[in-house]
Short mmCIF file of all heavy atoms in Angstrom, two decimals:
data_model
loop_
_atom_site.label_atom_id
_atom_site.label_comp_id
_atom_site.label_asym_id
_atom_site.label_seq_id
_atom_site.Cartn_x
_atom_site.Cartn_y
_atom_site.Cartn_z
N GLU A 1 0.84 -1.19 0.00
CA GLU A 1 0.00 0.00 0.00
C GLU A 1 0.87 1.24 0.00
O GLU A 1 1.85 1.32 0.73
CB GLU A 1 -0.89 0.04 1.24
CG GLU A 1 -2.07 -0.88 1.20
CD GLU A 1 -2.92 -0.71 2.44
OE1 GLU A 1 -2.62 -1.37 3.44
OE2 GLU A 1 -3.86 0.10 2.39
N GLU A 2 0.51 2.22 -0.81
CA GLU A 2 1.24 3.48 -0.85
C GLU A 2 0.60 4.45 0.12
O GLU A 2 -0.61 4.66 0.09
CB GLU A 2 1.18 4.08 -2.26
CG GLU A 2 2.12 3.42 -3.24
CD GLU A 2 3.58 3.66 -2.89
OE1 GLU A 2 3.94 4.80 -2.54
OE2 GLU A 2 4.36 2.71 -2.98
N PRO A 3 1.38 5.08 0.99
CA PRO A 3 0.82 6.11 1.86
C PRO A 3 0.43 7.33 1.03
O PRO A 3 0.98 7.54 -0.06
CB PRO A 3 1.95 6.45 2.81
CG PRO A 3 3.18 5.98 2.14
CD PRO A 3 2.79 4.87 1.22
N GLU A 4 -0.54 8.11 1.52
CA GLU A 4 -0.95 9.32 0.81
C GLU A 4 0.22 10.28 0.73
O GLU A 4 0.99 10.43 1.67
CB GLU A 4 -2.10 10.00 1.54
CG GLU A 4 -3.40 9.25 1.45
CD GLU A 4 -4.53 10.01 2.13
OE1 GLU A 4 -4.45 11.26 2.22
OE2 GLU A 4 -5.48 9.36 2.54
N GLN A 5 0.36 10.93 -0.42
CA GLN A 5 1.43 11.89 -0.60
C GLN A 5 1.00 13.24 -0.03
O GLN A 5 -0.11 13.67 -0.24
CB GLN A 5 1.78 12.04 -2.08
CG GLN A 5 2.32 10.79 -2.72
CD GLN A 5 3.65 10.38 -2.11
OE1 GLN A 5 4.48 11.20 -1.80
NE2 GLN A 5 3.85 9.09 -1.95
N SER A 6 1.87 13.89 0.70
CA SER A 6 1.60 15.22 1.21
C SER A 6 2.72 16.14 0.74
O SER A 6 3.81 15.67 0.41
CB SER A 6 1.52 15.21 2.73
OG SER A 6 2.75 14.81 3.28
N PRO A 7 2.44 17.44 0.71
CA PRO A 7 3.51 18.35 0.25
C PRO A 7 4.71 18.27 1.19
O PRO A 7 4.56 18.05 2.37
CB PRO A 7 2.86 19.72 0.32
CG PRO A 7 1.57 19.58 1.02
CD PRO A 7 1.25 18.13 1.10
N LYS A 8 5.87 18.45 0.62
CA LYS A 8 7.09 18.44 1.45
C LYS A 8 7.08 19.68 2.31
O LYS A 8 6.87 20.78 1.82
CB LYS A 8 8.32 18.40 0.58
CG LYS A 8 8.40 17.14 -0.25
CD LYS A 8 9.80 16.67 -0.38
CE LYS A 8 9.77 15.43 -1.23
NZ LYS A 8 10.51 14.37 -0.74
N ARG A 9 7.30 19.49 3.60
CA ARG A 9 7.30 20.60 4.54
C ARG A 9 8.54 20.50 5.41
O ARG A 9 9.03 19.43 5.68
CB ARG A 9 6.06 20.57 5.42
CG ARG A 9 4.80 20.82 4.63
CD ARG A 9 3.63 21.04 5.56
NE ARG A 9 2.45 21.35 4.82
CZ ARG A 9 1.93 22.57 4.73
NH1 ARG A 9 2.48 23.56 5.38
NH2 ARG A 9 0.86 22.78 4.02
N LYS A 10 9.02 21.64 5.84
CA LYS A 10 10.14 21.73 6.76
C LYS A 10 9.64 22.40 8.02
O LYS A 10 8.72 23.22 7.99
CB LYS A 10 11.26 22.59 6.16
CG LYS A 10 11.91 22.00 4.94
CD LYS A 10 12.91 21.00 5.36
CE LYS A 10 13.93 20.77 4.27
NZ LYS A 10 15.05 20.03 4.74
N GLY A 11 10.25 22.09 9.14
CA GLY A 11 9.86 22.67 10.41
C GLY A 11 10.71 23.87 10.78
O GLY A 11 11.85 24.00 10.35
N GLN A 12 10.13 24.75 11.58
CA GLN A 12 10.84 25.91 12.11
C GLN A 12 10.33 26.14 13.52
O GLN A 12 9.13 26.23 13.73
CB GLN A 12 10.58 27.15 11.25
CG GLN A 12 11.21 28.41 11.77
CD GLN A 12 12.73 28.34 11.78
OE1 GLN A 12 13.34 27.96 10.79
NE2 GLN A 12 13.34 28.69 12.88
N THR A 13 11.23 26.23 14.46
CA THR A 13 10.84 26.46 15.85
C THR A 13 10.67 27.95 16.07
O THR A 13 11.50 28.75 15.65
CB THR A 13 11.91 25.90 16.80
OG1 THR A 13 12.02 24.50 16.57
CG2 THR A 13 11.52 26.15 18.25
N LEU A 14 9.61 28.31 16.76
CA LEU A 14 9.35 29.70 17.13
C LEU A 14 9.25 29.77 18.64
O LEU A 14 8.46 29.04 19.24
CB LEU A 14 8.04 30.17 16.48
CG LEU A 14 7.53 31.54 16.91
CD1 LEU A 14 8.47 32.63 16.39
CD2 LEU A 14 6.13 31.76 16.40
N ARG A 15 10.04 30.59 19.24
CA ARG A 15 10.00 30.74 20.69
C ARG A 15 9.37 32.09 21.00
O ARG A 15 9.82 33.13 20.53
CB ARG A 15 11.39 30.66 21.27
CG ARG A 15 12.05 29.33 20.94
CD ARG A 15 12.95 28.88 22.05
NE ARG A 15 13.59 27.63 21.70
CZ ARG A 15 13.12 26.44 22.06
NH1 ARG A 15 12.02 26.36 22.75
NH2 ARG A 15 13.76 25.34 21.72
N LEU A 16 8.30 32.06 21.79
CA LEU A 16 7.58 33.27 22.19
C LEU A 16 7.67 33.42 23.70
O LEU A 16 7.75 32.42 24.41
CB LEU A 16 6.11 33.16 21.79
CG LEU A 16 5.79 33.00 20.32
CD1 LEU A 16 4.32 32.69 20.12
CD2 LEU A 16 6.18 34.24 19.55
N ASP A 17 7.58 34.67 24.17
CA ASP A 17 7.49 34.81 25.62
C ASP A 17 6.10 34.33 26.04
O ASP A 17 5.19 34.15 25.21
CB ASP A 17 7.79 36.23 26.09
CG ASP A 17 6.78 37.27 25.64
OD1 ASP A 17 5.59 36.95 25.46
OD2 ASP A 17 7.18 38.43 25.48
N GLU A 18 5.94 34.06 27.30
CA GLU A 18 4.71 33.42 27.80
C GLU A 18 3.46 34.23 27.47
O GLU A 18 2.44 33.67 27.08
CB GLU A 18 4.80 33.20 29.31
CG GLU A 18 3.65 32.37 29.84
CD GLU A 18 3.80 32.03 31.31
OE1 GLU A 18 4.87 32.28 31.89
OE2 GLU A 18 2.83 31.51 31.87
N GLY A 19 3.53 35.55 27.57
CA GLY A 19 2.38 36.38 27.27
C GLY A 19 1.95 36.28 25.82
O GLY A 19 0.76 36.17 25.51
N ALA A 20 2.92 36.31 24.91
CA ALA A 20 2.62 36.20 23.48
C ALA A 20 2.06 34.81 23.16
O ALA A 20 1.13 34.68 22.36
CB ALA A 20 3.87 36.48 22.65
N TRP A 21 2.62 33.78 23.79
CA TRP A 21 2.14 32.41 23.57
C TRP A 21 0.69 32.28 24.01
O TRP A 21 -0.14 31.73 23.30
CB TRP A 21 3.03 31.42 24.33
CG TRP A 21 2.67 30.00 24.11
CD1 TRP A 21 3.07 29.19 23.08
CD2 TRP A 21 1.82 29.18 24.93
NE1 TRP A 21 2.53 27.94 23.22
CE2 TRP A 21 1.76 27.91 24.36
CE3 TRP A 21 1.12 29.43 26.11
CZ2 TRP A 21 1.01 26.88 24.90
CZ3 TRP A 21 0.38 28.39 26.65
CH2 TRP A 21 0.33 27.14 26.06
N LYS A 22 0.37 32.81 25.20
CA LYS A 22 -1.00 32.75 25.70
C LYS A 22 -1.95 33.53 24.80
O LYS A 22 -3.05 33.08 24.51
CB LYS A 22 -1.07 33.29 27.13
CG LYS A 22 -0.53 32.34 28.16
CD LYS A 22 -0.66 32.92 29.56
CE LYS A 22 -0.12 31.96 30.61
NZ LYS A 22 -0.25 32.51 31.97
N GLN A 23 -1.50 34.69 24.36
CA GLN A 23 -2.35 35.50 23.48
C GLN A 23 -2.62 34.77 22.17
O GLN A 23 -3.74 34.80 21.65
CB GLN A 23 -1.67 36.85 23.23
CG GLN A 23 -2.53 37.84 22.47
CD GLN A 23 -1.96 39.23 22.55
OE1 GLN A 23 -1.98 39.83 23.61
NE2 GLN A 23 -1.45 39.73 21.44
N LEU A 24 -1.60 34.12 21.61
CA LEU A 24 -1.77 33.34 20.39
C LEU A 24 -2.79 32.22 20.61
O LEU A 24 -3.68 32.01 19.79
CB LEU A 24 -0.43 32.76 19.93
CG LEU A 24 -0.46 31.87 18.69
CD1 LEU A 24 -0.91 32.64 17.46
CD2 LEU A 24 0.91 31.23 18.48
N LYS A 25 -2.67 31.50 21.72
CA LYS A 25 -3.60 30.41 22.02
C LYS A 25 -5.02 30.93 22.20
O LYS A 25 -5.98 30.32 21.71
CB LYS A 25 -3.16 29.65 23.28
CG LYS A 25 -1.89 28.85 23.10
CD LYS A 25 -2.12 27.78 22.06
CE LYS A 25 -0.99 26.78 22.07
NZ LYS A 25 -1.26 25.64 21.21
N HIS A 26 -5.18 32.06 22.89
CA HIS A 26 -6.51 32.65 23.08
C HIS A 26 -7.11 33.08 21.74
O HIS A 26 -8.30 32.85 21.48
CB HIS A 26 -6.46 33.84 24.04
CG HIS A 26 -6.28 33.45 25.47
ND1 HIS A 26 -7.26 32.85 26.22
CD2 HIS A 26 -5.22 33.59 26.30
CE1 HIS A 26 -6.83 32.62 27.44
NE2 HIS A 26 -5.57 33.05 27.52
N LEU A 27 -6.30 33.71 20.90
CA LEU A 27 -6.77 34.13 19.59
C LEU A 27 -7.20 32.93 18.76
O LEU A 27 -8.26 32.95 18.10
CB LEU A 27 -5.69 34.93 18.86
CG LEU A 27 -6.06 35.49 17.49
CD1 LEU A 27 -7.25 36.43 17.58
CD2 LEU A 27 -4.86 36.20 16.87
N ALA A 28 -6.41 31.87 18.80
CA ALA A 28 -6.76 30.65 18.06
C ALA A 28 -8.09 30.09 18.55
O ALA A 28 -8.95 29.71 17.75
CB ALA A 28 -5.65 29.61 18.21
N THR A 29 -8.28 30.07 19.86
CA THR A 29 -9.53 29.57 20.43
C THR A 29 -10.69 30.47 20.01
O THR A 29 -11.75 29.99 19.60
CB THR A 29 -9.44 29.51 21.96
OG1 THR A 29 -8.37 28.63 22.31
CG2 THR A 29 -10.72 29.00 22.58
N ASP A 30 -10.50 31.78 20.12
CA ASP A 30 -11.56 32.72 19.73
C ASP A 30 -11.96 32.58 18.27
O ASP A 30 -13.13 32.68 17.93
CB ASP A 30 -11.11 34.18 19.98
CG ASP A 30 -10.96 34.52 21.45
OD1 ASP A 30 -11.45 33.74 22.30
OD2 ASP A 30 -10.33 35.56 21.75
N LYS A 31 -10.98 32.35 17.41
CA LYS A 31 -11.23 32.22 15.97
C LYS A 31 -11.64 30.81 15.56
O LYS A 31 -12.08 30.58 14.43
CB LYS A 31 -9.99 32.63 15.16
CG LYS A 31 -9.61 34.08 15.31
CD LYS A 31 -10.66 34.95 14.67
CE LYS A 31 -10.29 36.41 14.73
NZ LYS A 31 -11.36 37.24 14.20
N GLY A 32 -11.46 29.83 16.47
CA GLY A 32 -11.81 28.45 16.15
C GLY A 32 -10.85 27.79 15.18
O GLY A 32 -11.25 26.93 14.39
N VAL A 33 -9.59 28.21 15.22
CA VAL A 33 -8.57 27.62 14.36
C VAL A 33 -7.38 27.23 15.23
O VAL A 33 -7.33 27.58 16.41
CB VAL A 33 -8.12 28.59 13.23
CG1 VAL A 33 -9.27 28.93 12.31
CG2 VAL A 33 -7.51 29.85 13.81
N SER A 34 -6.43 26.55 14.66
CA SER A 34 -5.24 26.16 15.43
C SER A 34 -4.23 27.31 15.44
O SER A 34 -4.23 28.18 14.55
CB SER A 34 -4.59 24.92 14.82
OG SER A 34 -4.01 25.23 13.57
N ALA A 35 -3.38 27.32 16.44
CA ALA A 35 -2.30 28.30 16.50
C ALA A 35 -1.40 28.15 15.27
O ALA A 35 -0.92 29.14 14.72
CB ALA A 35 -1.49 28.13 17.79
N HIS A 36 -1.21 26.93 14.82
CA HIS A 36 -0.41 26.68 13.61
C HIS A 36 -1.00 27.41 12.41
O HIS A 36 -0.28 28.04 11.64
CB HIS A 36 -0.34 25.17 13.35
CG HIS A 36 0.41 24.81 12.12
ND1 HIS A 36 -0.21 24.59 10.92
CD2 HIS A 36 1.73 24.64 11.89
CE1 HIS A 36 0.70 24.30 10.00
NE2 HIS A 36 1.89 24.32 10.57
N ASP A 37 -2.32 27.33 12.26
CA ASP A 37 -2.97 28.02 11.13
C ASP A 37 -2.76 29.53 11.22
O ASP A 37 -2.53 30.19 10.20
CB ASP A 37 -4.46 27.71 11.09
CG ASP A 37 -4.76 26.29 10.65
OD1 ASP A 37 -3.88 25.64 10.04
OD2 ASP A 37 -5.89 25.81 10.92
N LEU A 38 -2.82 30.09 12.43
CA LEU A 38 -2.58 31.52 12.59
C LEU A 38 -1.13 31.88 12.25
O LEU A 38 -0.88 32.93 11.64
CB LEU A 38 -2.89 31.96 14.02
CG LEU A 38 -4.37 31.96 14.41
CD1 LEU A 38 -4.53 32.34 15.87
CD2 LEU A 38 -5.18 32.90 13.52
N LEU A 39 -0.20 31.03 12.61
CA LEU A 39 1.20 31.30 12.29
C LEU A 39 1.46 31.21 10.79
O LEU A 39 2.22 32.01 10.23
CB LEU A 39 2.12 30.35 13.07
CG LEU A 39 2.13 30.59 14.58
CD1 LEU A 39 2.88 29.48 15.29
CD2 LEU A 39 2.73 31.95 14.91
N ILE A 40 0.81 30.27 10.11
CA ILE A 40 0.92 30.19 8.64
C ILE A 40 0.37 31.46 8.01
O ILE A 40 0.96 32.03 7.09
CB ILE A 40 0.19 28.94 8.10
CG1 ILE A 40 0.88 27.66 8.57
CG2 ILE A 40 0.07 28.98 6.57
CD1 ILE A 40 2.28 27.46 8.05
#
């Protein structure tokens, strides 16, 4: 069986201070999307 093909992606670490991290998480929750989607 062949696994589904996905686009090639590379990772990048982002370090935020605690306040910015919390704000990002709250915004993601408010918008109903993931923090990853907001960062993209």
